[in-house]
Amino acid sequence: MSEEPQVPTPRRSRRRGDDLIQAIHAAVLAEVAEVGVGGLTMEGIAKRAATAKSSLYRRWPAPRDLLLDALYEAHPQELPSPGADDLRGDLIQALRQLIAWMIAPAGIAVRAVMAERQRHPELVEALYDRVFDARGGTFTDTVLRHYAAQGQIDPDLITPVVRDIGEALVFKHVTDANDLPDDEKLAAIVDQAILPAIGILPDRK
Amino acid sequence: MSEEPQVPTPRRSRRRGDDLIQAIHAAVLAEVAEVGVGGLTMEGIAKRAATAKSSLYRRWPAPRDLLLDALYEAHPQELPSPGADDLRGDLIQALRQLIAWMIAPAGIAVRAVMAERQRHPELVEALYDRVFDARGGTFTDTVLRHYAAQGQIDPDLITPVVRDIGEALVFKHVTDANDLPDDEKLAAIVDQAILPAIGILPDRK
């Protein structure tokens, strides 16, 4: 939450400001997916958002800052279920969030950025620092830490490798199948890989 | 001294044939990495291998058949250690083979093919069928099946998800770090993800 002085702006004009920022965020995500990192300009973003370049420069020094802001805002945050006593369900839900993000404008924009990594390594570094890590690390990470804090998982078992299992297997599935995993596959990833790694062995039926 | 006509011994001529095929295989891998799937021609491959186009057409109907043959031949095969009583060591070794393959010409050629998947989906399909699956599936798979056959692992635990864990975490590491995992990381993948999934929990030290 920002520490802005509470200027008596009417609700209406603030809402208009939020709408504008949302439009600009949507514009930069669509723009980078279409023209790539190298083609990203304030002019192109402003045009797509139907606003003036000056209103972009007022907030962001350069297109990349704007892009990182938009990706940060669009990044989903895992929330354990209310009551938080469904570790398995919450892990599946976290992977569902990952998939929803992958096919949303933010995920598509991230793929465009990653595809140009060799040309723009510092942007990818900023993406990890200022978006992924700042938003809670990998998907399933927040859920795992939550249940560890509740005493349901030994925190020592939540290693960097274990935090990556869910994302890694979702990405592998997408690569091999050229398609998104369905709920049955997500459940298999949770039951057969994530839960055993935190000491919960599969029910043998 | 009279010049006896050099009668080619069978050994010698066979070696020459193998050498030629190796040169052609090396040429197609280098060629696809440089010019992409769309740019692959018998002419280009022949030129790079310093041979005649006709000697290519004698063996392969089209550049893609030649490419798939070369990838098949270059694909490493896991072998459990002699005596085969080192599941953990053999799993780490399988992941080392994966990494060695990734940076070898075959792995680089596969990356070039995968990058053009949307344009050439049938080639990627053939790559999975005729190379990866034909060569024993994912890395660690052969080792897991071997120890299951020996009764050291419950075969029901070797599911498609579990077969993918090692490769998935290696690819994830490469994506995130933009670098290859070292031996310590490979050991962590084996100890913290693969072994728990087959019912072998980590030693807690």
Side-chain angles (χ1 to χ4, degrees):
Chain A
M1 211 70 67
S2 66
E3 296 256 330
E4 280 179 84
Q6 200 62 12
V7 186
T9 44
R11 262 188 89 83
R12 205 187 145 82
S13 86
R14 187 152 81 212
R15 193 167 61 230
R16 220 184 295 146
D18 286 351
D19 284 351
L20 178 62
I21 288 182
Q22 276 184 24
I24 295 169
H25 281 176
V28 72
L29 297 180
E31 188 77 1
V32 76
E34 194 176 305
V35 302
V37 174
L40 211 54
T41 60
M42 286 302 207
E43 183 137 20
I45 301 162
K47 204 168 162 188
R48 198 183 278 265
T51 186
K53 249 200 309 187
S54 59
S55 71
L56 267 54
Y57 277 115
R58 210 175 301 138
R59 292 176 176 90
W60 299 280
R64 289 174 185 208
D65 301 283
L66 168 46
L67 174 63
L68 290 166
D69 256 18
L71 288 171
Y72 180 88
E73 286 301 326
H75 208 69
Q77 288 208 282
E78 290 164 35
L79 290 173
S81 53
D85 197 21
D86 182 14
L87 170 58
R88 177 178 186 270
D90 284 347
L91 288 171
I92 293 173
Q93 186 54 31
L95 295 182
R96 278 201 203 108
Q97 279 190 300
L98 166 60
I99 289 168
W101 170 82
M102 286 171 76
I103 57 173
I108 295 166
V110 162
R111 221 172 309 151
V113 171
M114 294 297 285
E116 290 192 79
R117 168 180 227 153
Q118 305 311 332
R119 255 165 297 174
H120 308 286
E122 71 303 330
L123 180 60
V124 172
E125 216 170 292
L127 180 65
Y128 276 82
D129 288 350
R130 288 167 56 183
V131 180
F132 300 158
D133 293 347
R135 276 306 209 179
T138 55
F139 287 83
T140 74
D141 196 11
T142 304
V143 167
L144 291 172
R145 282 188 282 115
H146 177 85
Y147 285 90
Q150 288 208 332
Q152 293 194 38
I153 307 171
D154 177 350
D156 288 350
L157 292 177
I158 307 178
T159 63
V161 164
V162 170
R163 279 196 284 264
D164 270 349
I165 293 174
E167 282 194 9
L169 285 166
V170 167
F171 295 147
K172 179 81 165 61
H173 177 99
V174 171
T175 304
D176 291 344
N178 203 21
D179 199 2
L180 298 170
D182 58 17
D183 263 15
E184 198 183 332
K185 178 75 186 221
L186 296 185
I189 290 173
V190 169
D191 290 337
Q192 297 166 19
I194 303 178
L195 290 175
I198 52 175
I200 300 169
L201 294 181
D203 271 352
R204 312 300 299 283
K205 278 157 203 159
Chain B
M1 214 174 283
S2 67
E3 288 275 308
E4 293 281 327
Q6 194 69 15
V7 182
T9 63
R11 252 188 98 93
R12 211 186 145 87
S13 83
R14 187 153 77 210
R15 193 167 61 229
R16 218 183 296 145
D18 286 351
D19 285 351
L20 178 61
I21 287 180
Q22 275 183 24
I24 295 170
H25 280 177
V28 71
L29 297 181
E31 189 78 359
V32 75
E34 196 177 304
V35 303
V37 174
L40 211 55
T41 61
M42 286 302 207
E43 184 136 22
I45 302 161
K47 205 168 164 189
R48 197 183 278 264
T51 187
K53 248 199 311 184
S54 59
S55 71
L56 268 54
Y57 276 116
R58 210 175 302 138
R59 290 174 177 91
W60 299 279
R64 291 175 183 206
D65 300 284
L66 167 46
L67 174 63
L68 290 166
D69 256 18
L71 289 171
Y72 180 88
E73 286 302 327
H75 207 70
Q77 288 209 280
E78 290 165 35
L79 290 173
S81 54
D85 197 21
D86 182 13
L87 169 59
R88 178 178 184 270
D90 285 347
L91 288 171
I92 293 173
Q93 186 55 31
L95 295 182
R96 278 201 204 105
Q97 280 190 299
L98 165 60
I99 289 167
W101 170 82
M102 285 171 77
I103 57 175
I108 295 166
V110 162
R111 221 172 308 151
V113 171
M114 293 297 285
E116 291 192 78
R117 168 180 228 152
Q118 304 312 331
R119 251 165 302 173
H120 308 286
E122 71 305 328
L123 179 61
V124 172
E125 215 170 291
L127 179 67
Y128 275 82
D129 287 351
R130 287 168 56 183
V131 180
F132 301 158
D133 293 348
R135 274 305 208 181
T138 56
F139 287 82
T140 74
D141 196 11
T142 304
V143 167
L144 291 172
R145 280 187 285 114
H146 177 85
Y147 284 90
Q150 287 207 333
Q152 292 193 40
I153 307 171
D154 177 349
D156 289 349
L157 291 177
I158 308 177
T159 62
V161 164
V162 170
R163 279 196 285 264
D164 270 348
I165 292 174
E167 283 195 9
L169 285 165
V170 167
F171 295 146
K172 179 79 165 62
H173 177 99
V174 171
T175 303
D176 290 344
N178 204 21
D179 199 4
L180 297 169
D182 59 17
D183 263 14
E184 198 182 331
K185 179 74 188 222
L186 296 185
I189 289 172
V190 168
D191 291 336
Q192 297 165 21
I194 302 178
L195 290 176
I198 52 174
I200 300 168
L201 293 180
D203 271 351
R204 311 299 299 282
K205 279 159 202 155

